[in-house]
Amino acid sequence: MQWTGVMPALTTAFNEDLSIDHPFVARHAQWQVENGVTGLIALGSLGEAATMAFDEKLDLIATLVRAVDGKVPVVAAISALSTSEAVALAKAAYAKGAQGLMILPPYVYKGDWREMKAHVAAILEATPLTAMLYNNPVAYGTDFLPEQIQELATEYPNLKAVKESSTDVRRVTAIRALVGNRLSIFVGVDDAIVEGINAGATGWVAGLVNAFPRESVDLFRLASESKSAEAFELYRWFLPLLRMDTVPKFIQLIKQVQQEIHVGSARVRAPRLEVIGEELAATRAAVQHAIASRPSIAVASTQLTVKAAAK
């Protein structure tokens, strides 16, 4: 398990009856790999894990493991209302072939540091897999401070990375100052990726990569290689879409982008509903502008040969 590069936070494709579309999930995963991603993260926020039953989550992991056949690791995001359920999910995902974990704080309950540390520790101790800590205080109301991340890294050797989604790029430098190269730091918000890499991040858990994998991989590479002019040219073009990853309806918007360019369906599970009206029009306009204004430096993603069922 190498914690580096671009790892998609995969969306989950649904059939018309809102069951998981496993054939499309498999092909979409393979397409991401073909375009250069270094791993696949399933069951995260963007994957709508909160709407899935326990067995559905495991079936999804199994589909992805079969689909990529060892070409890249499959990472299972671990989230639950209770620590016991999170531990059970981690063990079951490991049994299904997951090669890494991404650990979220508990849903709903916003605990103090002692409680959050105990929750994370229980998951880290549940399997021999290495793991990434997911810090997203905006979404979950729990903030893992740099000093607390350092404490976890000191005590748990299988904690290898942190996904930093606080939206504050200074967190990257703060964590790096405390842990050095002990942890890989991933940027978790799409519209801060170039700034995050410049601050010392070495990975990207990306959202719009679900629709534009090659463009995402190229942006990460250019920024990592300090090719500033080329990186910012591609970044400026990409930003109107990347900003969709940072708003409350990011799942609906990213899935709508996938549908607009025929690499997925906009279907989401309730309580989310597909965007309509002005939101839909604005999303379509942003996609059309991106297609029309693609810079010469942008290498388009290869074609996804299997499309989601038509609406």
Side-chain angles (χ1 to χ4, degrees):
M1 181 73 220
Q2 298 296 315
W3 293 100
T4 187
V6 180
M7 296 190 184
L10 291 171
T11 55
T12 303
F14 298 125
N15 296 302
E16 288 187 11
D17 63 359
L18 296 183
S19 61
I20 297 175
D21 184 348
H22 285 275
F24 182 81
V25 164
R27 186 64 193 104
H28 185 245
Q30 293 163 350
W31 181 61
Q32 294 286 317
V33 175
E34 290 166 6
N35 280 282
V37 304
T38 57
L40 301 172
I41 300 177
L43 306 178
S45 305
L46 187 52
E48 298 177 77
T51 68
M52 292 184 195
F54 192 92
D55 287 345
E56 284 185 305
K57 295 178 181 181
L58 298 182
D59 289 344
L60 184 67
I61 293 295
T63 291
L64 292 170
V65 169
R66 288 193 299 269
V68 300
D69 193 26
K71 295 182 178 68
V72 300
V74 173
V75 177
I78 304 299
S79 59
L81 287 167
S82 70
T83 301
S84 61
E85 183 181 356
V87 166
L89 180 59
K91 291 179 177 178
Y94 172 52
K96 289 291 185 180
Q99 293 167 282
L101 304 176
M102 184 174 76
I103 302 174
L104 281 71
Y107 286 143
V108 182
Y109 181 66
K110 302 173 184 178
D112 62 20
W113 168 231
R114 182 173 67 93
E115 292 169 319
M116 292 302 96
K117 182 181 178 181
H119 178 81
V120 172
I123 300 168
L124 286 169
E125 293 169 356
T127 78
L129 296 176
T130 59
M132 169 191 287
L133 178 68
Y134 181 14
N135 185 42
N136 190 337
V138 177
Y140 297 111
T142 299
D143 192 1
F144 292 98
L145 301 176
E147 296 78 10
Q148 295 166 346
I149 293 171
Q150 179 191 32
E151 187 175 325
L152 286 169
T154 300
E155 296 181 25
Y156 297 95
N158 60 325
L159 180 63
K160 295 294 187 182
V162 57
K163 175 185 175 183
E164 181 51 60
S165 298
S166 65
T167 74
D168 185 354
V169 175
R170 293 173 298 178
R171 284 294 185 90
V172 175
T173 55
I175 296 168
R176 180 67 68 220
L178 291 174
V179 304
N181 294 322
R182 167 67 182 81
L183 297 178
S184 298
I185 304 176
F186 280 63
V187 175
V189 286
D190 280 3
D191 65 349
I193 182 55
V194 172
E195 297 88 339
I197 290 173
N198 288 339
T202 56
W204 181 14
V205 178
L208 268 298
V209 67
N210 283 280
F212 295 96
R214 173 55 60 185
E215 296 87 340
S216 299
V217 169
D218 283 351
L219 176 59
F220 180 86
R221 175 182 55 80
L222 291 169
S224 298
E225 294 174 354
S226 299
K227 295 182 177 178
S228 300
E230 296 97 327
F232 276 105
E233 180 182 1
L234 187 54
Y235 199 29
R236 282 191 294 270
W237 166 78
F238 213 173
L239 268 174
L241 297 177
L242 296 179
R243 291 190 179 110
M244 294 180 184
D245 183 56
T246 63
V247 297
K249 292 187 180 180
F250 71 108
I251 295 171
Q252 295 95 312
L253 294 176
I254 291 174
K255 280 191 154 184
Q256 187 66 49
V257 171
Q258 287 184 255
Q259 179 163 296
E260 294 302 316
I261 63 172
H262 309 297
V263 294
S265 166
R267 297 187 192 103
V268 290
R269 283 182 173 177
R272 291 179 179 84
L273 300 174
E274 295 177 33
V275 293
I276 60 172
E278 293 182 1
E279 289 178 315
L280 177 58
T283 305
R284 286 175 168 167
V287 173
Q288 292 166 3
H289 180 267
I291 293 172
S293 62
R294 180 187 296 274
S296 58
I297 194 173
V299 178
S301 300
T302 60
Q303 184 177 0
L304 180 54
T305 55
V306 178
K307 299 178 182 179
K311 284 179 61 64

